[in-house]
């Protein structure tokens, strides 16, 4: 009876689900593994605030962009989101973005767009889809701020993967330490003191390592120079 009750609830949203073998229904009877039908405007709106809105602004030339951004959306993002073996984890992205409360700034629109692709797009077996992300931007575009947020998310209980260790690699140790030191300060000296207890409960920060306590994930910095790099 419990299974039937869950299925009846799901039937209300069947029109928004991707069609598989001619049917719209949850994959494996589990909404976790089920993708949305991106040809349905209402289903598309579920992702609009994270992915579709920014993509539309690029495609409609509403914001300045390079040709590679358009190519990425047309040739990668849209085809991937229409695949039957891919789903978008809106809850994961929403909870991840709530971590912004620990930072003295908010993510830019392009950063939210990329974070949604990194954290929210999964294969139906639960594995993340985008495993190789390359961002080529100029000075002052916010790359360190984005790195700060990403590594903080990867250490957090929201990411939730045990032993997810992170190395920040740069040409010199000083460059590699920039984001590491940022995250260290956000944890040990939070802008809003009301978050101090939560930060100390979930993270342990020293000058050489930062650990996410729930997942035992460790953040380190490293140099690509042979003189300053160990066997990693």
């Amino acid at each position: 009876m419990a299974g039937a009750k869950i299925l009846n609830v799901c039937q209300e949203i069947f029109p928004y689900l991707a069609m598989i073998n001619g049917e719209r229904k949850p994959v494996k009877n589990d909404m976790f593994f089920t993708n949305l039908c991106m040809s349905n405007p209402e289903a598309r709106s579920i992702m609009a605030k994270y992915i579709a809105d920014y993509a539309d602004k690029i495609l409609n030339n509403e914001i300045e962009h390079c040709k590679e951004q358009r190519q990425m959306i047309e040739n990668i993002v849209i085809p991937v989101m229409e695949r039957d073996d891919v789903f978008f984890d809106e809850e994961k992205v929403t909870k991840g973005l709530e971590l912004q409360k620990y930072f003295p700034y908010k993510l830019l629109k392009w950063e939210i767009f990329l974070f949604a692709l990194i954290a929210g797009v999964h294969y139906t077996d639960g594995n993340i889809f985008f495993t190789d992300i390359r961002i080529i931007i100029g000075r002052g575009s916010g790359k360190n701020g984005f790195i700060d947020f990403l590594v903080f998310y990867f250490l957090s209980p929201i990411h939730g993967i045990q032993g997810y260790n992170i190395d920040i690699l740069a040409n010199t140790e000083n460059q590699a330490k920039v984001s590491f030191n940022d995250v260290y300060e956000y944890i040990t000296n939070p802008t809003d003191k009301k978050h101090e207890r939560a930060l100390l409960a979930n993270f342990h920060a020293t000058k050489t390592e930062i650990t996410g306590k729930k997942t035992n994930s460790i953040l380190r910095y490293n140099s690509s120079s042979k003189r300053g790099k160990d066997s990693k």
Side-chain angles (χ1 to χ4, degrees):
M1 292 297 293
K5 182 177 181 180
I6 293 173
L7 193 58
N8 286 335
V9 172
C10 291
Q11 285 176 345
E12 299 176 5
I13 62 170
F14 276 18
Y16 308 118
L17 305 183
M19 185 174 292
I20 300 176
N21 297 326
E23 294 184 274
R24 298 189 189 279
K25 62 180 183 180
V27 176
K28 302 178 183 177
N29 271 340
D30 191 336
M31 290 302 300
F32 180 81
F33 298 111
T34 305
N35 197 15
L36 298 174
C37 176
M38 290 299 102
S39 63
N40 185 320
E42 292 184 47
R44 190 170 176 271
S45 69
I46 295 175
M47 290 198 311
K49 59 185 175 182
Y50 298 132
I51 294 178
D53 281 353
Y54 185 81
D56 283 344
K57 285 181 171 58
I58 295 290
L59 297 178
N60 294 327
N61 295 314
E62 295 177 19
I63 55 177
E64 188 173 358
H65 61 279
C66 62
K67 66 178 182 180
E68 287 81 8
Q69 287 174 283
R70 174 179 288 271
Q71 291 170 345
M72 174 189 68
I73 292 167
E74 292 178 337
N75 300 324
I76 300 176
V77 175
I78 293 176
V80 165
M81 299 312 299
E82 291 178 342
R83 289 174 54 148
D84 291 338
D85 62 341
V86 168
F87 76 98
F88 181 70
D89 191 340
E90 182 188 17
E91 182 178 5
K92 174 83 77 172
V93 174
T94 300
K95 288 183 176 180
L97 290 172
E98 289 175 358
L99 296 174
Q100 291 178 92
K101 66 186 178 183
Y102 298 118
F103 289 75
Y105 57 85
K106 299 297 182 183
L107 295 182
L108 302 173
K109 291 182 178 179
W110 70 264
E111 294 171 328
I112 293 175
F113 171 77
L114 284 182
F115 176 74
L117 293 176
I118 294 168
V121 182
H122 297 252
Y123 286 105
T124 50
D125 64 5
N127 289 321
I128 60 171
F129 186 91
F130 294 109
T131 58
D132 187 0
I133 308 293
R134 302 185 185 188
I135 305 171
I136 304 174
I137 53 178
R139 290 180 179 271
S141 298
K143 59 180 178 296
N144 278 113
F146 190 42
I147 292 171
D148 296 353
F149 182 80
L150 282 180
V151 298
F152 188 86
Y153 164 76
F154 289 138
L155 290 172
S156 76
I158 295 174
H159 185 230
I161 297 179
Q162 291 293 321
Y164 196 89
N165 296 334
I166 307 153
D167 276 272
I168 300 176
L169 183 66
N171 290 328
T172 67
E173 182 177 294
N174 285 338
Q175 290 175 324
K177 288 173 67 174
V178 172
S179 281
F180 180 93
N181 288 339
D182 287 346
V183 176
Y184 175 88
E185 287 297 322
Y186 300 149
I187 293 171
T188 61
N189 187 28
T191 304
D192 192 333
K193 296 302 181 182
K194 72 180 181 182
H195 298 311
E196 189 170 22
R197 180 176 296 181
L199 288 166
L200 293 178
N202 286 284
F203 303 94
H204 175 68
T206 71
K207 289 292 186 177
T208 57
E209 291 185 351
I210 299 174
T211 303
K213 293 182 179 180
K214 301 293 184 181
T215 60
N216 198 32
S217 300
I218 300 173
L219 170 66
R220 302 183 181 94
Y221 56 86
N222 220 319
S223 166
S224 60
S225 170
K226 290 183 179 180
R227 293 180 60 187
K229 190 171 183 292
D230 60 18
S231 58
K232 294 179 184 177

